[in-house]
Amino acid sequence: MITVEDIRGVLSKYNKNKLTISTICSHSALQIFHGARSLKFRTLGVTTPDRRFVYEAFPLAKPDIFIEVQGFKDVLRKEVQEKLVEENCVIIPHGSFVEYVGASNILNMLFVPTFGNRTVLLWESDRSKQMEWFREAGLKTPREFKNPSEVDCKVFVKYPGAKGGAGYFTADSAKELEEKIKWTMDKKLIRSIEEVSIQEFVPGVRYYFHFFYSLMLDGGFRVGNGRLELLSMDKRIEPIDEAYRGLPNVPEEFFDYTVTGNQPLILRESLLKDCLDMGARVVLASRRLFPPGIVGPFCLETIYHPSRGFTVFEISARIVAGTNLYPQGSPYTPYLFDEPMSTGKRIALELKKALESDRLEEILY
Ligand code: AMP
């Protein structure tokens, strides 16, 4: 396990005037580099050779320095990490970073300072720990069933570590669920029932809220000793959203929950109080469960129904790809900043403020 003290040791040798914002070239890297560049940070991208041209194709979001690796996991190799340290890099973790490198490898092997509190990865990478976090926060979550025979409503079934919803399915009864689980076991998609998560199917409209918890800025919505900002929101689009196009005989392929893109949206203003309240509860619970708690960007994945309110079904405790919709800010950021503000730039701004006040240690681990 790489400890906070290990990271502080590495950081103490950094040339803080040359702090470099770094990530692997995937997911939200264009946004991260673009935001960092706009605040005059140096940037470094770890890329595979076949992706490099993508980042060169967008000159205003291109990293100043590239490190080429054969696979993203190579970021853990000693010589790559040493190069990142030599360049005074702070790594910004994003969805692909966590997916390719692996939460436990990040916790156990990555000695380069990382933006935010990496302990959060223990909580976000495990569905049952996420639920524990939501319970601690007092949030409404989907009912969960351990045993198919207990099922008394329409259910939504998720595979472990499924990438963006691929293969998820629904069942209308205990009988249908048992049949479908048998089918997935026969196909060797899972080995045992314990591997799937069986949740109540929650009807309603999905909202993905992009929050930022800042320890550096004053004013605004005070939560703990920081400020909680609602930067933007999106809705993920999945083939199931377009199922109506196949009516009246919807082809089976439409019953697919794989995320294929993101759409912008805004929330009815009277619901903002619920949204901000959920964000605040998540931050406060994180401070109790894993002090000093979550730092920086996170996303609450919710379903709203007028008669049920918000149900939270997942959290991403880092920048999410839905923020890529807003490189110049969202319909909410003008109420927080008098300049364009993406989540990528917001991360750079937090680093800049921490540098100016010599408080980097509070936001890196
Ligand atoms: P997830 O991998 O948890 O982000 O879920 C992927 C997609 O599955 C979501 O965007 C929703 O469309 C759907 N989904 C997840 N959980 C539920 C649920 N409990 N009820 C209904 N739909 C869900």
Side-chain angles (χ1 to χ4, degrees):
M1 176 100 179
I2 305 281
T3 63
V4 180
E5 287 68 37
D6 296 331
I7 296 296
R8 291 197 172 153
V10 174
L11 199 61
S12 66
K13 301 194 191 82
Y14 268 26
N15 179 347
K16 310 262 168 31
N17 298 320
K18 289 203 173 152
L19 203 73
T20 301
I21 292 190
S22 170
T23 196
I24 62 173
C25 291
S26 182
H27 192 267
S28 44
L30 288 169
Q31 190 202 145
I32 292 169
F33 296 138
H34 178 252
R37 287 172 64 112
S38 70
L39 292 180
K40 308 277 180 273
F41 276 103
R42 264 177 15 125
T43 49
L44 183 152
V46 178
T47 189
T48 50
D50 60 325
R51 291 177 183 233
R52 183 172 176 147
F53 81 99
V54 175
Y55 293 82
E56 287 172 334
F58 296 99
L60 301 185
K62 171 178 164 272
D64 298 309
I65 309 167
F66 281 103
I67 295 182
E68 286 197 11
V69 290
Q70 287 318 305
F72 284 133
K73 227 179 185 158
D74 289 347
V75 79
L76 293 170
R77 289 170 67 141
K78 193 158 173 276
E79 62 275 19
V80 176
Q81 292 206 55
E82 280 171 357
K83 174 77 177 153
L84 292 171
V85 168
E86 193 185 306
E87 296 289 352
N88 306 291
C89 284
V90 167
I91 291 182
I92 314 301
H94 53 50
S96 301
F97 186 83
V98 179
E99 183 71 31
Y100 289 120
V101 182
S104 64
N105 287 331
I106 295 171
L107 287 160
N108 292 320
M109 293 164 72
L110 188 72
F111 58 80
V112 185
T114 300
F115 181 72
N117 175 2
R118 69 175 81 180
T119 314
V120 79
L121 295 175
L122 279 175
W123 289 81
E124 81 141 25
S125 61
D126 178 337
R127 217 170 253 138
S128 59
K129 289 199 91 75
Q130 283 197 15
M131 289 297 158
E132 190 184 333
W133 186 356
F134 295 150
R135 273 195 299 277
E136 172 71 25
L139 299 182
K140 185 168 180 188
T141 54
R143 283 168 66 206
E144 298 213 300
F145 302 92
K146 286 272 161 279
N147 191 331
S149 63
E150 294 163 8
V151 163
D152 58 0
C153 60
K154 184 178 174 86
V155 287
F156 194 85
V157 183
K158 306 182 185 191
Y159 291 121
K163 288 182 186 58
Y168 290 2
F169 62 88
T170 61
D172 287 329
S173 62
K175 186 165 170 287
E176 186 185 342
L177 177 63
E178 275 160 9
E179 282 164 14
K180 286 191 169 170
I181 287 181
K182 183 174 176 311
W183 183 87
T184 49
M185 282 167 71
D186 290 347
K187 291 262 171 207
K188 305 224 180 320
L189 296 171
I190 53 166
R191 271 164 303 172
S192 80
I193 176 104
E194 280 78 49
E195 288 181 36
V196 294
S197 154
I198 305 166
Q199 295 185 346
E200 152 197 28
F201 183 93
V202 182
V205 185
R206 288 165 304 133
Y207 290 89
Y208 296 74
F209 297 118
H210 314 152
F211 290 102
F212 191 96
Y213 184 59
S214 168
L215 295 179
M216 296 298 143
L217 290 195
D218 298 328
F221 181 26
R222 306 306 300 169
V223 176
N225 59 341
R227 148 171 159 153
L228 183 64
E229 298 165 356
L230 174 66
L231 291 184
S232 49
M233 57 189 76
D234 78 301
K235 182 168 102 169
R236 295 183 187 166
I237 42 178
E238 304 158 359
I240 184 75
D241 302 329
E242 304 243 346
Y244 64 88
R245 290 177 42 230
L247 290 172
N249 301 309
V250 182
E252 188 58 31
E253 290 98 311
F254 271 116
F255 292 89
D256 188 309
Y257 294 83
T258 313
V259 179
T260 65
N262 304 78
Q263 277 179 333
L265 83 173
I266 55 161
L267 186 66
R268 187 177 169 148
E269 193 155 309
S270 57
L271 295 177
L272 280 177
K273 64 175 185 351
D274 298 339
C275 161
L276 288 168
D277 179 60
M278 287 188 291
R281 286 167 173 273
V282 163
V283 169
L284 293 173
S286 77
R287 291 159 66 89
R288 292 192 292 273
L289 292 173
F290 50 97
I294 195 162
V295 173
F298 66 98
C299 173
L300 284 188
E301 311 185 1
T302 72
I303 297 174
Y304 179 77
H305 189 276
S307 63
R308 292 170 169 244
F310 282 101
T311 305
V312 183
F313 63 92
E314 194 154 319
I315 183 167
S316 299
R318 33 125 190 118
I319 184 171
V320 286
T323 62
N324 289 340
L325 286 164
Y326 308 108
Q328 297 288 356
S330 78
Y332 295 97
T333 53
Y335 310 141
L336 288 161
F337 304 96
D338 54 17
E339 60 183 305
M341 189 61 65
S342 67
T343 297
K345 183 173 172 189
R346 183 65 189 84
I347 293 169
L349 179 65
E350 191 78 352
L351 283 165
K352 186 174 164 208
K353 294 285 172 198
L355 268 171
E356 285 168 2
S357 52
D358 200 16
R359 293 171 61 198
L360 263 187
E361 288 186 355
E362 288 177 44
I363 59 167
L364 300 181
Y365 169 25

